């Protein structure tokens, strides 16, 4: 773990990998809930970092962080977010070939996994979900699409994600959902947030 100052009131904590970043983020949330964390305005996890912003005394907190120990990240205790999916994406044949399985097995393999939102980014409401075994990681498309529809379910590297709105994208699309991932009129606006548990539920054609 490496702690770097960012401006006058923030710290960027660099971790070894995504798993350690998730564990550190979970520990930060646990300590804040227990009242054992100095005031922090924002906690922003990413692939291998966690940003702590709005810190009153960054030097003191940095020294404290050096002595922290924490175990594996656990998913938050609240209910699992269920995402109904039609597994009929245009890249389903490609993903099946990469996995070495029949096309109809992709839905069964993917929906059997328990997912956790590792971090959010790219677009409002877009969560990077981990949970698929490493052997199912797939590369991004060689040529990104200029437009991916809202609700498209995609895979890239170790991550699963659902596009909250229409946008360009290079992920392998294996399905789609009708759920609204981002709604500014909803509280909270994002359906998925870091640490949340997610389960994909196959729907009929």
């Amino acid at each position: 773990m490496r702690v770097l100052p960012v401006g006058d009131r923030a710290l960027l904590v660099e971790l070894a990998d995504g798993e350690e970043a998730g564990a550190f983020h979970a520990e930060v949330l646990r300590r804040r809930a227990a009242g054992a964390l100095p005031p922090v305005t924002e906690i922003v996890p990413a692939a291998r970092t966690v940003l702590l912003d709005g810190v009153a005394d960054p030097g003191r907190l940095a020294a404290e962080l050096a002595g922290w120990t924490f175990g594996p990240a656990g998913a938050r205790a609240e209910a699992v977010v269920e995402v109904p999916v039609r597994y009929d994406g245009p890249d389903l044949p490609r993903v099946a070939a990469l996995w070495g399985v029949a096309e109809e097995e992709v839905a069964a393999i993917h929906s059997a996994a328990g997912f956790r939102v590792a971090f959010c980014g790219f677009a409002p409401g877009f969560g990077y979900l981990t949970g698929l075994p490493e052997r199912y990681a797939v590369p991004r498309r060689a040529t990104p699409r200029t437009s991916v529809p809202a609700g498209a379910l995609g895979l890239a590297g170790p991550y699963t994600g659902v596009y909250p709105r229409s946008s360009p994208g290079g992920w392998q699309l294996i399905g789609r959902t009708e759920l609204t991932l981002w709604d500014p009129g909803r509280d909270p606006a994002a359906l998925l947030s870091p640490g949340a548990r997610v389960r994909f539920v196959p729907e009929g054609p």
Side-chain angles (χ1 to χ4, degrees):
M1 179 171 68
R2 186 166 70 143
V3 183
L4 303 171
V6 179
D8 296 329
R9 295 176 57 84
L11 297 172
L12 183 68
V13 183
E14 295 183 344
L15 291 310
D17 52 30
E19 184 175 346
E20 189 175 77
F24 177 80
H25 177 241
E27 181 65 12
V28 171
L29 296 182
R30 186 191 70 77
R31 292 186 183 228
R32 183 172 68 173
L37 182 74
V40 174
T41 303
E42 288 191 77
I43 302 168
V44 185
R48 293 181 181 176
T49 63
V50 177
L51 176 69
L52 306 176
D53 196 10
V55 181
D57 189 343
R60 177 183 172 187
L61 180 55
E64 290 182 12
L65 295 178
W68 279 21
T69 58
F70 45 91
R76 295 203 310 247
E78 63 254 36
V80 175
V81 179
E82 292 194 347
V83 180
V85 173
R86 293 179 184 270
Y87 284 91
D88 58 359
D91 297 317
L92 193 67
R94 168 70 171 158
V95 171
L98 290 169
W99 287 3
V101 302
E103 289 183 29
E104 56 269 21
E105 291 183 63
V106 172
I109 292 170
H110 187 263
S111 62
F115 291 89
R116 185 182 70 85
V117 182
F119 59 96
C120 295
F122 167 63
F126 188 94
Y128 289 77
L129 280 62
T130 56
L132 275 177
E134 186 176 347
R135 65 182 179 277
Y136 294 125
V138 297
R140 293 171 181 264
R141 288 173 50 85
T143 303
R145 292 181 170 89
T146 57
S147 180
V148 174
L153 170 65
L155 307 177
Y159 300 113
T160 288
V162 180
Y163 286 76
R165 64 186 183 192
S166 178
S167 66
W171 290 35
Q172 307 281 354
L173 305 182
I174 62 171
R176 55 195 166 98
T177 182
E178 298 297 324
L179 279 186
T180 300
L181 278 291
W182 175 260
D183 179 359
R186 183 174 58 197
D187 185 19
L191 181 65
L192 305 179
S193 58
R197 294 183 295 162
V198 179
R199 186 168 72 91
F200 292 97
V201 181
E203 288 189 324

